[in-house]
Amino acid sequence: MTPFFITTPIYYINARPHLGHAYTTMVADAIARSRRLLGDDVFFLTGTDEHGQKVERAAQKAGVKTAVFADEVAASFRQVCQDLHITNDDFIRTTEPRHIRGVQALFEKIAAAGDIYKGKYEGFYCVGCERFWPEKDLIDGKCPDHKTPAQWLSEENHFFRLSRFAAPLREHIRKHPEFIVPDIRKNEIVNVIEGGLEDISVSRASAAWGIPLPGDPGQTVYVWFDALINYISGVGYPDTNGTFARYWPADLHVIGKDITRFHCIIWPAMLMSAGVPLPRTVLGHGWVHFQGEKLSKSLGNIVNPLDISERWGADALRYYLLREVPLWRDGDFTWDLFIQRYNSDLANDWGNLFTRTVSMVHRYRGGKLAVAEAGEALAPVIQEAWASYHAAFDRFEIEAGIEAAWTIIRRANRLVEEGAPWNLAKDPARAQDLDRLLGSLVVALQNTALLLFPVMPSKASLVWEALRLEPSIDQARFPAPGGALSPPPTGVVLGESKPLFPRIESK
Ligand code: MSP
């Protein structure tokens, strides 16, 4: 089995999980699930970023000890994973001893390579971003992202010689066109590197809630330097045998476009310095907005993803976000569009194909299929859908993968209208036509269930079970290129025809 290591960013725990965090995690989950169906040995890592002043202040505001606060919020991120059916293999917290060990070890390696030196940091810092800002980028002394005053810092810090890595980074990006996707993000990064890289401060004298710096315990490791290392401490680093040897380098870091500089400049430079191989691909996706506005605490539009999934199901939310927010641009969550998509795509198209097919098999054939073949009309549509689905997932275009499944759904629904099974059922001379039609509808459903499993795992499982398919869907495999799934069983009674997605009448 080919190993495939995929990660999400680790989330700050100063606030509860929102729709944007859920989106990144769902993207990674859909890709992880699709890789498992391809037969890969997937390791999927997510977690929480718990150090830094931002978290410390949030805990103070909540009036609890930082460690207690961290436990509580980290638990809510774990809960989101569970409730949204995320199949992460591990969940790393930066306060865990295994991570602290990894950070200190990598820091020591970088120091041993001569890339750490002591100096004075004087400049601005935004606690919201946990980053240093050059004065020229501030607007009236305020952070351009958080619109809050940046803090003036003057400290003895340890610096990382980032400037040394501009040429090797440029070379790496040139040689590995797949390193940063999509291109728009790559171009941004290339521009930043060409503008020149300055050394960065990687320790803090005044931030107590952090990992003590090896060799200078009065300082803590800068929170980003600490956080990035989760990608290797999560697979066992500094132990480079076992899990690390199996899965590193990561195949894919899924992140939002806000943090590409950290992942495409600082992180690979740290690894280069320490002599650790670089991740293969960093995917920087766009932003999820809510009703046209940026998700923000001050606008009070922070949507808890669990409020949506509790009411309408995790699959509906996964479907909406993965279909409406392609990775290469920003997208919007609006209630109107959510309800519209739910009713038209899920209830009417896929849900209806499922209920009408299964109920006809029960009504006309006592629940058993006599034939289970795609048939002339559907076989080519199914073949083509698989080809475009794989091509889409290879480009991380999950929405195009979903669309490929929909070509089967639409064609199958048309086949019902054209074939008019209710008429065939009245005519004994056309019994075989009816058997063939029902068989091809079931094959269509089987294929859509597997195609959509990465996006809507629980509804796809329901369909799979109702069709009495084996092995269970999470053990199933995609058909080989140009091949087909083995046909559904004939002669066994199908499950009940329950509505997959009961229509939403009002919000
Ligand atoms: N802790 C750092 C990441 C360290 S990774 C070594 C961090 N955390 S964060 O919680 O602020 O954001 C993490 C990620 O959440 C973003 O990169 C992005 O993937 C996702 N999103 C947060 N808000 C988002 C939207 N509104 N829309 C889409 N994704 C967003 O940065």
Side-chain angles (χ1 to χ4, degrees):
M1 278 163 104
T2 319
F4 186 85
F5 180 24
I6 180 167
T7 66
T8 71
I10 48 171
Y11 301 103
Y12 283 133
I13 53 158
N14 62 310
R16 305 267 152 186
H18 63 56
L19 218 48
H21 307 130
Y23 174 67
T24 306
T25 309
M26 286 174 186
V27 167
D29 188 58
I31 297 173
R33 285 175 181 272
S34 76
R35 300 305 301 209
R36 288 193 198 99
L37 292 172
L38 281 168
D40 286 359
D41 165 19
V42 172
F43 191 81
F44 173 14
L45 180 69
T46 186
T48 41
D49 186 354
E50 306 193 359
H51 291 127
Q53 275 172 294
K54 180 155 135 155
V55 170
E56 204 173 5
R57 285 188 187 175
Q60 276 161 5
K61 214 167 141 201
V64 276
K65 280 209 175 106
T66 317
V68 174
F69 179 81
D71 284 348
E72 237 177 70
V73 188
S76 68
F77 275 92
R78 269 186 209 269
Q79 189 64 39
V80 166
C81 287
Q82 238 181 46
D83 293 354
L84 298 179
H85 311 308
I86 303 302
T87 53
N88 53 301
D89 296 285
D90 203 345
F91 188 102
I92 187 155
R93 300 180 54 186
T94 54
T95 45
E96 288 175 70
R98 60 168 170 161
H99 174 71
I100 295 170
R101 218 160 59 92
V103 170
Q104 293 182 327
L106 194 83
F107 193 93
E108 277 169 349
K109 271 247 149 139
I110 297 174
D115 288 323
I116 301 286
Y117 63 92
K118 210 163 179 185
K120 183 155 184 163
Y121 181 81
E122 286 217 311
F124 289 96
Y125 190 81
C126 168
V127 173
C129 312
E130 292 283 14
R131 65 165 279 193
F132 303 92
W133 279 101
E135 191 168 6
K136 66 174 173 42
D137 293 338
L138 300 177
I139 302 169
D140 296 332
K142 292 184 179 163
C143 161
D145 290 346
H146 289 87
K147 320 270 187 264
T148 46
Q151 171 189 343
W152 173 256
L153 282 183
S154 173
E155 304 183 336
E156 275 288 309
N157 281 176
H158 294 258
F159 283 75
F160 170 54
R161 280 186 216 284
L162 183 62
S163 55
R164 197 166 84 72
F165 295 92
L169 281 171
R170 245 195 340 247
E171 186 56 12
H172 185 81
I173 296 170
R174 195 185 59 74
K175 272 206 194 133
H176 300 273
E178 73 294 351
F179 181 55
I180 308 170
V181 285
D183 278 347
I184 174 176
R185 310 273 164 257
K186 185 191 318 191
N187 299 338
E188 283 162 10
I189 292 299
V190 169
N191 284 340
V192 173
I193 298 174
E194 291 194 336
L197 297 180
E198 285 178 18
D199 293 349
I200 56 165
S201 159
V202 292
S203 72
R204 298 293 316 280
S206 51
W209 179 245
I211 299 179
L213 202 77
D216 191 352
Q219 303 237 348
T220 54
V221 179
Y222 168 46
V223 60
W224 266 102
F225 217 70
D226 159 351
L228 288 161
I229 298 171
N230 92 87
Y231 298 128
I232 55 175
S233 66
V235 283
Y237 187 89
D239 176 3
T240 50
N241 302 311
T243 318
F244 182 88
R246 173 96 187 121
Y247 294 106
W248 191 261
D251 293 277
L252 186 61
H253 289 323
V254 179
I255 59 166
K257 64 180 180 183
D258 51 326
I259 55 177
T260 49
R261 290 184 194 198
F262 295 99
H263 284 78
C264 304
I265 297 177
I266 299 180
W267 177 227
M270 290 162 66
L271 293 170
M272 280 177 180
S273 166
V276 178
L278 306 199
R280 295 207 171 85
T281 299
V282 180
L283 169 66
H285 65 66
W287 228 225
V288 181
H289 296 276
F290 181 71
Q291 318 258 73
E293 309 258 18
K294 206 175 161 191
L295 289 170
S296 97
K297 258 198 200 161
S298 46
L299 286 173
N301 66 356
I302 297 291
V303 185
N304 180 345
L306 298 186
D307 291 346
I308 304 172
S309 71
E310 259 164 36
R311 269 187 90 184
W312 313 116
D315 282 18
L317 179 61
R318 293 173 64 113
Y319 173 76
Y320 179 90
L321 288 179
L322 295 174
R323 176 141 204 173
E324 269 308 307
V325 191
L327 290 161
W328 44 272
R329 66 156 167 82
D330 292 354
D332 202 12
F333 182 96
T334 73
W335 282 113
D336 286 348
L337 199 54
F338 175 75
I339 294 172
Q340 188 190 319
R341 282 242 171 254
Y342 180 101
N343 283 338
S344 74
D345 305 359
L346 299 180
N348 283 2
D349 293 347
W350 197 33
N352 195 24
L353 177 64
F354 171 72
T355 37
R356 78 210 297 207
T357 300
V358 176
S359 70
M360 286 190 294
V361 176
H362 280 286
R363 192 172 328 130
Y364 303 136
R365 292 292 181 259
K368 296 180 188 169
L369 289 180
V371 181
E373 282 165 23
E376 260 173 42
L378 270 172
V381 180
I382 292 174
Q383 279 277 336
E384 195 149 314
W386 278 108
S388 27
Y389 181 85
H390 288 307
F393 266 83
D394 284 349
R395 297 190 306 266
F396 309 114
E397 290 173 8
I398 300 175
E399 79 291 352
I402 296 175
E403 179 49 35
W406 246 260
T407 59
I408 304 178
I409 296 173
R410 279 194 292 263
R411 186 69 192 93
N413 274 326
R414 265 211 329 273
L415 219 59
V416 178
E417 307 308 326
E418 291 163 10
W422 40 90
N423 289 336
L424 299 179
K426 288 184 206 144
D427 183 354
R430 305 198 60 193
Q432 284 188 349
D433 290 343
L434 180 57
D435 283 334
R436 275 198 290 271
L437 177 57
L438 295 176
S440 61
L441 296 177
V442 167
V443 171
L445 277 171
Q446 173 196 28
N447 280 275
T448 56
L450 200 58
L451 286 159
L452 293 171
F453 180 65
V455 175
M456 291 183 276
S458 49
K459 300 298 174 173
S461 308
L462 256 164
V463 171
W464 197 259
E465 281 162 24
L467 303 183
R468 304 292 183 233
L469 296 162
E470 288 190 5
S472 65
I473 196 162
D474 45 358
Q475 301 295 315
R477 291 284 169 267
F478 285 152
L485 292 173
S486 37
T490 52
V492 295
V493 178
L494 301 190
E496 268 179 78
S497 131
K498 283 184 278 197
L500 274 189
F501 298 96
R503 281 183 71 81
I504 301 180
E505 299 304 341
S506 67
K507 193 178 121 188

